[in-house]
Amino acid sequence: MKFFIDTANLEQIKEANDMGVLDGVTTNPSLMAKEGIKGEANCRKHYVDICNIVDGDVSAEVIATDYRGMIREGEELAALHPNIVVKVPCIADGIKAIKYFKGKGIRTNCTLVFSPGQALLAAKAGATYVSPFVGRLDDISSDGIELVEKIVDMYTYYDFKTQVLAASIRSTQHIIQCIEAGADVATCPLSAIKGLLKHPLTDSGLATFLADHERVNA
Ligand code: G3P
């Protein structure tokens, strides 16, 4: 299971990277806007800043929704840094663009995926990653983890090389469920990753070790 952090916040990316378990970063236009980053030049500088923090794949999303625009933007994003993965929405022109990028050796992340059918098209087009949005399905009383399971089963059965990058992760429990579902990657908020560390028996056990040591060595 690879861990990506789902943020454009450099401080959180640095903190997650310092934990020693970070494998990459995903961003999207909303996460970039949340950091107040505006203008093409500033966005591209920010992507390079992220690439200089984390030695792993960094997803940068195109804004264009037409094929020609996606191609132009995607090639410019890919040229910023070898670790840039071009993020493309799962729409008709996006699937077409993913096919084009595959032919050019540009890695892609097909995003805003909510069904097995969308995931099938992304894999057939040659996407490097597919991003099923777990939390947003849960938000409407659907089952986001079940979608991850179905995609993993489909990709395994047909031997697709596209990696399942579970996104819209809202909790530590989502991460555990994605592990059980066989996702290749979970892209998470820092809090969800840090939550994996927490267990009361670890804390109480360590306290006892130290107290016993102190009692004898005081
Ligand atoms: O990478 C996709 C992710 O940022 C979406 O998360 O919480 O907005 O559904 P959320």
Side-chain angles (χ1 to χ4, degrees), residues 61-210:
E61 188 159 343
V62 297
I63 300 299
T65 54
D66 66 297
Y67 175 69
R68 298 308 310 166
M70 287 174 168
I71 298 305
R72 176 188 60 76
E73 250 191 281
E75 287 182 325
E76 290 172 357
L77 290 171
L80 292 174
H81 192 282
N83 289 352
I84 289 288
V85 174
V86 179
K87 211 176 190 184
V88 180
C90 193
I91 58 176
D93 277 22
I95 295 297
K96 189 177 169 185
I98 287 169
K99 183 73 173 185
Y100 170 88
F101 289 130
K102 177 70 175 179
K104 294 288 184 181
I106 292 174
R107 293 176 304 135
T108 55
N109 177 357
C110 186
T111 190
L112 286 168
V113 168
F114 295 95
S115 73
Q118 288 179 317
L120 174 61
L121 293 175
K124 284 183 67 65
T128 309
Y129 298 102
V130 69
S131 289
F133 276 35
V134 175
R136 294 193 189 184
L137 285 167
D138 290 0
D139 290 346
I140 61 166
S141 304
S142 289
D143 188 333
I145 295 297
E146 184 181 49
L147 174 60
V148 175
E149 290 167 346
K150 286 180 176 178
I151 297 171
V152 169
D153 290 348
M154 173 173 59
Y155 284 11
T156 303
Y157 184 84
Y158 291 106
D159 196 26
F160 284 122
K161 303 308 178 191
T162 300
Q163 297 178 63
V164 182
L165 192 165
S168 188
I169 299 295
R170 302 281 172 73
S171 66
T172 300
Q173 184 57 20
H174 264 167
I175 298 177
I176 302 299
Q177 290 172 311
C178 287
I179 291 169
E180 292 166 347
D184 299 287
V185 188
T187 191
C188 323
L190 179 56
S191 58
I193 298 175
K194 292 170 82 171
L196 291 169
L197 271 172
K198 294 175 186 169
H199 199 292
L201 289 180
T202 302
D203 297 340
S204 61
L206 181 58
T208 302
F209 287 163
L210 297 176

